[in-house]
């Protein structure tokens, strides 16, 4: 295999000597496979095998020491009221976070990029800082701010503007508000950065041309700004949607593993409850597979709707 | 006249924008300030009645910090050390493996390259939570429950990092590889001695991304860690967050102290930090 032919004579002898012993080290053909082997191994052991095993488990009753196939019994049990509650909570959470974490960062980034905007760096940094916290730490302080007592800060504010105090962790709407607010608060700054980066790619000549044509602000946004940031919109809606369906921590930090009337229960929380706490792994796996199906269907619809499949270049 | 009108209008827009963003910035910063105030306030009152506006103006003390640096804090520091060890090892391992994979996917031509890249993207899309039960069972059957290794294993080859390293490597000069080959360098020597040094900025960005995600990782460590001595910071702190606890001093002081390493990283590597956090969006 003539892989590397050294031109330098001294080097050549050294290389040839080494080559006999460590041929593979010099092989341009073998090297990439060795480089990617960690990924292949990790894919086989930590993704493919668990995936097949999850599908397999979803048809089993898994008990310590004994495993039996029970057909689709797990799946027919999945669609029960508790699962629907979990799915409903998760779906509402996804809808709110996708809208808030795409729309607001887009508007904020356009404003921050505005030529009349001042102190841009300071504001950008302030909004980014929450991304440094973990959900647990951020959730702890949110729980203190939104404490159930009338004296807690959020309730003080409500009373100050003439509203009644709220027991934040005991109403369905306020529980959802807490979880959505926590996630939005943490991710706002990061998503703004995505939009700001995309806005740097907008061709300024196009704005001038639009001005000459007498375009108003909305027309300029629709025809010049939006096409440039559309990839970020697609990316963020997809990623926020998937992360929303994966949500667990934002609920855990407010409610641990059980919430009044399951107002904080999410699909992953349900998997945790059934699969880990109740040790019913087969059932937990079935819920997981259903969740994967839901995410897959929504992703495909979304990518079609946004036209991501059209440009196939 | 027209000119003056325009100036006034622009001034108004400018002021409105600043007012709007002052409010947004206040909302963003308030919980962070509140976290510090909470750490300096009486912990049991906080847990009982929540954070009140009076606390912002009352006299603060360092009792919570005295507790955490005293004998009560022993467990907390144990979690801190666990988190540091796990995050440290994970950063090194995941950078080492992910960079090799990304580099090969970008700069070599080989059979199956496209297929492997598609697999990387596929794993990016599949939620870890779907695989978590079988992985948990696997850890049990290998008796790895309650070990650092179990926490780290699923994160060692991170698809996000592979993706990022690939995108970064695509921009590297291929000619350097050729001339290194002529000089008799092994393929691995080319990577470690010639190309990897050129990838340093991407290593920095990914060190931060991996560091942050393992430092804040919660659900998986919650599953595989059983004994208090093995807990990582988020799992440990979460155990203190119950209405029936008695360690609230540790909870509030500990929450603030747990962000310190991240803040230090952020201050030193701001540029890389932002590149790391927004790395999912690189297109190619």
């Amino acid at each position: 295999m003539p892989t590397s032919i050294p031109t330098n004579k001294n080097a050549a002898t050294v290389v040839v000597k080494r080559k006999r012993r460590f041929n593979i080290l010099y092989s341009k053909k073998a090297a990439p496979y060795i480089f990617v082997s960690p990924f292949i191994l990790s894919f086989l052991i930590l993704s493919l095998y668990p995936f097949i095993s999850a599908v397999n488990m979803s048809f089993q009753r898994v008990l310590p020491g004994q495993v039996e196939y029970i057909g689709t019994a797990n799946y027919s049990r999945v669609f029960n009221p508790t699962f629907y509650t979990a799915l409903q909570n998760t779906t509402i959470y996804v809808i709110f976070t996708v809208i808030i974490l795409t729309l607001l960062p887009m508007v904020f980034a356009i404003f921050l990029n505005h030529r009349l905007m001042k102190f841009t760096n300071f504001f950008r940094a302030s909004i980014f800082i929450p991304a440094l916290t973990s959900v647990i730490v951020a959730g702890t302080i949110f729980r203190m701010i939104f404490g159930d007592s009338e004296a807690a800060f959020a309730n003080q504010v409500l009373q100050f503007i003439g509203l009644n105090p709220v027991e934040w962790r005991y109403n369905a709407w306020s529980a959802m508000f807490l979880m959505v607010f926590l996630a939005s608060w943490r991710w706002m700054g990061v998503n703004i950065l995505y939009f700001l980066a995309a806005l740097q790619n907008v061709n300024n000549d196009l704005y001038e041309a639009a001005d000459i044509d007498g375009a108003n602000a909305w027309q300029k946004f629709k025809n010049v700004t939006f096409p440039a940031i559309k990839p970020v919109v697609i990316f963020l809606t997809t990623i926020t949607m998937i992360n929303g369906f994966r949500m667990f921590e934002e609920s855990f930090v407010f409610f641990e593993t059980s919430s009044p009337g399951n107002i904080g229960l999410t699909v992953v929380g349900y998997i945790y409850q059934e699969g880990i706490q109740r040790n019913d792994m087969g059932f937990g796996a079935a819920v997981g597979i259903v969740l994967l199906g839901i995410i897959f269907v929504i992703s495909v619809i979304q990518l079609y709707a946004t036209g991501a499949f059209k440009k196939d270049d | 006249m027209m000119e003056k009108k325009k100036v006034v209008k622009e001034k108004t827009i400018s002021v409105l924008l600043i007012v709007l963003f002052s409010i947004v910035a206040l909302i963003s910063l308030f919980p962070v300030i509140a976290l510090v105030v909470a750490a300096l306030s009486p912990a049991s009152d906080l847990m009982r009645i929540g954070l009140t506006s009076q606390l912002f103006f009352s006299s603060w003390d360092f009792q919570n910090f005295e507790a955490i640096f005293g004998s009560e804090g022993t467990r907390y520091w144990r979690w801190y050390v666990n988190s540091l060890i796990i995050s440290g090892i994970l950063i090194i391992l995941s950078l080492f493996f992910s960079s090799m994979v990304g580099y090969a996917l970008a700069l070599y031509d080989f059979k199956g390259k496209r297929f492997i890249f598609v697999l990387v993207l596929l794993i990016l899309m599949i939620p870890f939570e779907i695989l978590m039960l079988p992985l948990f069972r696997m850890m049990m059957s290998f008796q790895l429950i309650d070990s650092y290794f179990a926490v780290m294993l699923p994160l060692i080859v991170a698809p996000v990092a592979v993706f990022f390293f690939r995108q970064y490597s695509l921009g590297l000069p291929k000619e350097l590889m050729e001339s290194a080959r002529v000089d008799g360098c092994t393929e691995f020597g080319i990577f470690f001695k010639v190309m990897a040094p050129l990838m340093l900025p991407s290593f920095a960005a990914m060190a931060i991304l991996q560091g942050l995600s393992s430092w804040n990782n919660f659900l998986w460590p919650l599953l595989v860690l059983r004994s208090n001595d093995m807990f990582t910071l988020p799992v440990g702190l979460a155990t203190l967050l119950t209405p029936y606890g008695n360690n609230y001093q540790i909870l509030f002081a500990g929450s603030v102290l747990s962000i310190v390493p991240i803040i230090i990283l952020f201050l030193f590597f701001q540029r890389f930090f932002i590149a790391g956090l927004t790395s999912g969006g690189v297109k190619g």
Side-chain angles (χ1 to χ4, degrees):
Chain A
M1 259 200 287
T3 45
S4 54
I5 303 158
T7 45
N8 184 314
K9 261 195 176 173
N10 292 335
T13 47
V14 178
V15 169
V16 168
K17 250 188 205 165
R18 273 209 220 137
K19 223 171 147 181
R20 254 171 233 145
R21 276 196 287 167
F22 308 111
N23 200 359
I24 200 166
L25 294 182
Y26 289 91
S27 163
K28 222 168 121 183
K29 284 225 171 89
Y33 292 105
I34 297 170
F35 281 130
V36 297
S37 58
F39 173 76
I40 308 279
L41 273 178
S42 131
F43 172 76
L44 293 175
I45 301 170
L46 300 168
S47 297
L48 188 64
Y49 171 74
F51 180 72
I52 293 169
S53 168
V55 175
N56 191 25
M57 263 164 75
S58 72
F59 295 104
Q60 292 173 333
R61 181 181 294 127
V62 185
L63 293 169
Q66 66 176 89
V67 171
E68 59 172 316
Y69 280 91
I70 51 170
T72 55
N74 285 329
Y75 285 96
S76 48
R77 270 171 62 214
V78 167
F79 298 95
N80 65 62
T82 313
F83 174 75
Y84 282 126
T85 308
L87 185 60
Q88 187 189 343
N89 290 338
T90 308
T91 311
I92 295 172
Y93 177 85
V94 167
I95 293 171
F96 275 114
T97 49
V98 166
I99 293 173
I100 292 171
L101 282 173
T102 313
L103 219 54
L104 280 185
M106 182 172 79
V107 173
F108 287 160
I110 290 172
F111 283 170
L112 282 172
N113 208 37
H114 199 281
R115 77 191 153 85
L116 295 174
M117 185 68 209
K118 293 192 176 72
F119 316 117
T120 308
N121 286 337
F122 168 75
F123 287 129
R124 201 180 51 191
S126 315
I127 304 172
F128 179 79
I129 283 180
L132 305 183
T133 61
S134 71
V135 177
I136 300 301
V137 167
T140 304
I141 198 62
F142 267 61
R143 265 176 82 158
M144 297 307 118
I145 295 171
F146 293 94
D148 296 319
S149 80
E150 289 182 20
F153 188 83
N155 279 337
Q156 283 183 317
V157 173
L158 284 186
Q159 283 163 302
F160 183 75
I161 56 174
L163 297 170
N164 290 325
V166 172
E167 286 194 296
W168 295 96
R169 293 194 302 129
Y170 296 91
N171 298 302
W173 70 269
S174 54
M176 184 56 67
F177 168 82
L178 289 178
M179 296 186 289
V180 171
F181 188 32
L182 178 58
S184 307
W185 176 77
R186 281 185 70 237
W187 287 104
M188 188 64 66
V190 177
N191 291 5
I192 286 178
L193 292 176
Y194 280 118
F195 278 112
L196 280 175
L199 284 171
Q200 307 315 309
N201 299 330
V202 182
N203 188 345
N204 275 320
D205 297 346
L206 290 176
Y207 284 120
E208 280 172 32
D211 277 331
I212 293 166
D213 291 342
N216 62 30
W218 169 249
Q219 286 168 323
K220 271 192 268 183
F221 169 76
K222 205 182 105 194
N223 297 316
V224 181
T225 314
F226 189 72
I229 57 176
K230 198 180 165 194
V232 176
V233 174
I234 296 175
F235 168 74
L236 285 182
T237 47
T238 313
I239 223 73
T240 313
M241 190 269 292
I242 295 179
N243 284 340
F245 276 113
R246 296 174 55 182
M247 194 269 268
F248 173 76
E249 291 174 40
E250 280 84 353
S251 162
F252 187 93
V253 76
F254 287 117
F255 305 105
E256 282 100 60
T257 49
S258 67
S259 51
N262 285 332
I263 52 175
L265 185 68
T266 67
V267 177
V268 172
Y270 191 49
I271 298 178
Y272 179 79
Q273 254 181 25
E274 295 293 329
I276 302 292
Q277 291 187 308
R278 299 217 177 115
N279 210 3
D280 194 350
M281 289 216 195
F283 183 68
V287 177
I289 299 294
V290 171
L291 177 65
L292 185 64
I294 294 171
I295 294 176
F296 179 74
V297 170
I298 295 178
S299 301
V300 170
I301 294 174
Q302 191 196 17
L303 290 175
Y304 262 112
T306 50
F309 286 148
K310 276 182 209 155
K311 334 173 249 188
D312 210 11
D313 46 3
Chain B
M1 276 299 272
M2 285 296 279
E3 274 302 297
K4 208 177 168 190
K5 237 183 179 174
K6 204 182 166 197
V7 171
V8 172
K9 195 185 158 201
E10 295 202 336
K11 270 250 163 72
T12 326
I13 293 177
S14 194
V15 170
L16 283 177
L17 283 176
I18 289 171
V19 170
L20 170 74
F21 277 98
S22 301
I23 297 170
V24 178
L26 187 68
I27 296 173
S28 295
L29 294 179
F30 179 76
V32 181
I33 299 165
L35 189 62
V36 179
V37 171
L40 298 169
S41 303
S44 51
D45 288 358
L46 263 171
M47 207 58 194
R48 199 157 44 84
I49 44 182
L51 185 86
T52 64
S53 58
Q54 285 79 12
L55 287 177
F56 285 84
F57 307 105
S58 60
S59 59
W60 296 326
D61 60 54
F62 288 91
Q63 278 191 15
N64 298 339
F65 289 98
E66 277 165 30
I68 211 166
F69 287 109
S71 58
E72 290 167 70
T74 326
R75 276 202 306 186
Y76 174 81
W77 294 109
R78 177 79 218 199
W79 303 337
Y80 216 98
V81 171
N82 290 340
S83 271
L84 283 174
I85 293 174
I86 289 175
S87 299
I89 297 178
L90 254 180
I91 290 174
I92 294 167
L93 289 183
S94 72
L95 256 57
F96 179 78
F97 290 122
S98 309
S99 64
M100 285 189 342
V101 179
Y103 161 82
L105 285 175
L107 296 175
Y108 283 95
D109 283 312
F110 58 98
K111 239 190 187 152
K113 170 171 144 168
R114 267 189 79 91
F115 177 68
I116 292 172
F117 186 56
V118 169
L119 286 184
V120 173
L121 297 179
L122 197 73
I123 305 180
L124 267 176
M125 302 287 286
I126 294 182
F128 171 77
E129 288 73 11
I130 313 281
L131 309 177
M132 139 187 118
L133 294 180
L135 278 171
F136 176 67
R137 221 174 133 198
M138 204 160 106
M139 296 301 155
M140 285 209 293
S141 55
F142 291 136
Q143 312 219 316
L144 286 168
I145 294 291
D146 220 17
S147 68
Y148 289 155
F149 187 71
V151 179
M152 294 190 285
L153 193 60
L155 291 170
I156 287 178
V157 185
V160 194
V162 170
F163 184 71
F164 187 81
F165 280 119
R166 175 193 176 259
Q167 301 308 101
Y168 197 89
S169 306
L170 284 173
L172 297 177
K174 254 185 156 176
E175 308 83 62
L176 279 182
M177 297 169 71
E178 233 14 88
S179 47
R181 255 174 221 138
V182 172
D183 290 344
C185 210
T186 65
E187 293 298 319
F188 305 94
I190 295 173
F191 175 63
F192 290 112
K193 290 192 202 123
V194 184
M195 303 306 269
L198 297 176
M199 294 162 71
L200 271 184
S202 63
F203 276 103
M206 285 305 100
I208 284 160
L209 177 76
Q210 291 301 307
L212 197 66
S213 58
S214 62
W215 188 257
N216 291 340
N217 196 7
F218 181 70
L219 180 52
W220 180 244
L222 178 73
L223 252 61
V224 293
L225 296 178
R226 288 285 165 79
S227 52
N228 204 295
D229 273 354
M230 291 302 291
F231 284 170
T232 58
L233 270 176
V235 177
L237 286 174
T239 61
L240 302 180
L241 194 60
T242 68
Y244 319 107
N246 50 7
N247 274 318
Y248 300 133
Q249 293 188 311
I250 309 292
L251 174 63
F252 293 110
S255 292
V256 171
L257 292 175
S258 77
I259 317 181
V260 170
I262 304 290
I263 303 236
I264 293 173
L265 270 181
F266 179 64
L267 292 177
F268 276 101
F269 303 107
Q270 230 187 76
R271 190 162 58 93
F272 301 119
F273 206 101
I274 286 167
L277 263 183
T278 53
S279 58
V282 265
K283 286 169 287 291

